[in-house]
Amino acid sequence: MDLRNLLPLYYDFYIVAREGNITQASMIYHIAQPTLSKNIRLLEEEIKIPLFSRNNKGVELTKEGEKLYKRLDSLFCSFSYHDDEVSDEETEGSLIIGVTRNVVDARLGEYLSFFHKKFPKVKIIIDMNSPQMLKHLLITHKIDVLIDYLPNADYFDGSDLIVKVFGKFETCFACSKDFYNSHDLTNLTVRDLKNFDLVLPGPSRRRQFLDDYLQEKNLVLQSNVEFQDWKYALEFVLRSDSIGYFIKSEIEKTDLISLDVHSELPQVCFGFIYSKNSFNPITSKFIQLISGVSDIDF
């Protein structure tokens, strides 16, 4: 088979490998599923290399398939269109974003809404998982970009990952209005917090930032209650005589009162992690756009 006939087969293999699922690739790129399956089999027969292992859950790249995907990814990305050739509204494809739980709860919804207005034909898929699993999915090209709290040593291990900070959260200690009005908290300091019932994050990057800060101050705060999900912590603090630790934006539209502890609390940074070996035009547009609006008010 000559190259002219092979190219469509390579492209069909590429989009299935990129989406990780034949059905999903069929829907996004408007190609019949039987056609995709047939073309991948033809390509495997032609080059005499098994590209996918097939099981009840779908398909998974073999080692040979992974190597071919990386070569094709670099090639196809070099043919990315220019902004003046295709408008934002006409840009099509998919964007698979890996996120950890609390990043979803923070401002990701606002960022995605902003991106969707600019690129309405791009299908957005969210994969919410642990940092370890998301890193694996990123390295194996199952997701396009990962968003997580930073710094995180897991992403600086000599791999091909690129890390870019694009946003910061201010943190605070807060309590309910009833608790605030019934206590004199005017001269409250971080050290004084040990005298109150505290609601702190469970093991997480957010908790690590707080612990690092306290260690620098030679302070220790013991929590009476811990929550992995800040929304549960917020509801608990609203209904109790406790002081909780939050990101300021999480309590802006609630009845919680941010406390002045006469000290600059740690900022929580977050950012993009992506692989330089599998960077595509849509991912690039997402990173460029969100990097430019991450500090604005929506």
Side-chain angles (χ1 to χ4, degrees):
M1 188 179 297
D2 60 29
L3 182 60
R4 180 176 55 184
N5 293 320
L6 270 175
L7 280 177
L9 305 186
Y10 277 118
Y11 181 74
D12 285 352
F13 158 76
Y14 172 75
I15 62 174
V16 171
R18 185 182 189 286
E19 302 303 329
N21 184 284
I22 292 178
T23 301
Q24 188 165 293
S26 172
M27 293 173 59
I28 293 173
Y29 294 92
H30 308 291
I31 302 173
Q33 186 172 332
T35 300
L36 284 177
S37 299
K38 176 184 176 183
N39 287 349
I40 290 172
R41 285 196 298 270
L42 286 174
L43 180 61
E44 289 177 319
E45 292 171 2
E46 183 66 26
I47 63 177
K48 296 179 173 58
I49 295 175
L51 300 173
F52 289 103
S53 59
R54 295 161 176 83
N55 51 50
N56 293 334
K57 296 182 180 180
V59 295
E60 185 174 348
L61 284 170
T62 62
K63 290 184 178 179
E64 293 82 1
E66 184 72 31
K67 291 178 182 178
L68 178 59
Y69 172 76
K70 288 182 178 180
R71 287 199 220 83
L72 292 176
D73 193 56
S74 176
L75 174 65
F76 289 140
C77 283
S78 68
F79 290 106
S80 62
Y81 44 73
H82 299 288
D83 289 341
D84 58 353
E85 294 174 351
V86 180
S87 67
D88 293 343
E89 292 78 9
E90 295 302 316
T91 299
E92 295 186 8
S94 66
L95 176 67
I96 307 177
I97 305 171
V99 292
T100 54
R101 177 60 182 269
N102 283 327
V103 172
V104 175
D105 291 335
R107 296 188 66 183
L108 184 62
E110 295 172 282
Y111 295 142
L112 293 181
S113 175
F114 190 81
F115 179 81
H116 181 64
K117 289 177 182 178
K118 292 276 290 182
F119 303 96
K121 291 189 177 181
V122 172
K123 182 174 181 178
I124 301 171
I125 302 167
I126 300 297
D127 190 328
M128 188 167 62
N129 221 310
S130 69
Q132 295 78 15
M133 177 56 70
L134 291 173
K135 180 183 176 182
H136 171 72
L137 294 173
L138 185 64
I139 292 174
T140 55
H141 312 295
K142 301 297 191 303
I143 60 177
D144 298 310
V145 62
L146 194 166
I147 299 179
D148 196 5
Y149 289 125
L150 297 172
N152 189 329
D154 290 341
Y155 306 130
F156 296 91
D157 59 359
S159 65
D160 68 348
L161 299 182
I162 296 173
V163 179
K164 180 178 180 181
V165 175
F166 78 92
K168 296 180 180 180
F169 290 127
E170 300 290 337
T171 61
C172 69
F173 286 93
C175 65
S176 68
K177 287 183 179 179
D178 289 342
F179 185 81
Y180 183 82
N181 292 331
S182 61
H183 291 74
D184 182 8
L185 302 175
T186 307
N187 298 313
L188 185 70
T189 67
V190 177
R191 190 177 299 274
D192 296 329
L193 291 170
K194 66 183 179 181
N195 300 318
F196 296 89
D197 285 341
L198 296 180
V199 177
L200 300 180
S204 61
R205 292 299 297 165
R206 186 189 295 204
R207 177 61 179 269
Q208 187 63 53
F209 292 138
L210 176 61
D211 288 345
D212 290 345
Y213 163 82
L214 293 172
Q215 186 174 8
E216 289 178 2
K217 302 288 185 181
N218 294 316
L219 296 173
V220 176
L221 294 179
Q222 299 293 337
S223 57
N224 298 84
V225 180
E226 292 186 356
F227 288 100
Q228 287 293 111
D229 191 319
W230 69 267
K231 292 180 180 178
Y232 290 117
L234 189 151
E235 291 298 325
F236 184 89
V237 174
L238 277 171
R239 292 166 172 79
S240 66
D241 292 333
S242 302
I243 294 177
Y245 180 70
F246 301 98
I247 288 173
K248 282 188 176 180
S249 61
E250 293 170 350
I251 68 168
E252 285 177 352
K253 297 180 180 179
T254 72
D255 288 331
L256 289 183
I257 305 246
S258 176
L259 302 175
D260 182 3
V261 293
H262 299 86
S263 179
E264 186 175 345
L265 294 174
Q267 289 185 324
V268 177
C269 299
F270 64 110
F272 302 113
I273 303 94
Y274 55 93
S275 173
K276 63 183 178 183
N277 289 331
S278 61
F279 203 49
N280 59 72
I282 293 177
T283 305
S284 177
K285 286 178 180 292
F286 176 71
I287 290 176
Q288 290 173 6
L289 181 66
I290 303 308
S291 295
V293 302
S294 59
D295 292 325
I296 72 170
D297 292 326
F298 289 84

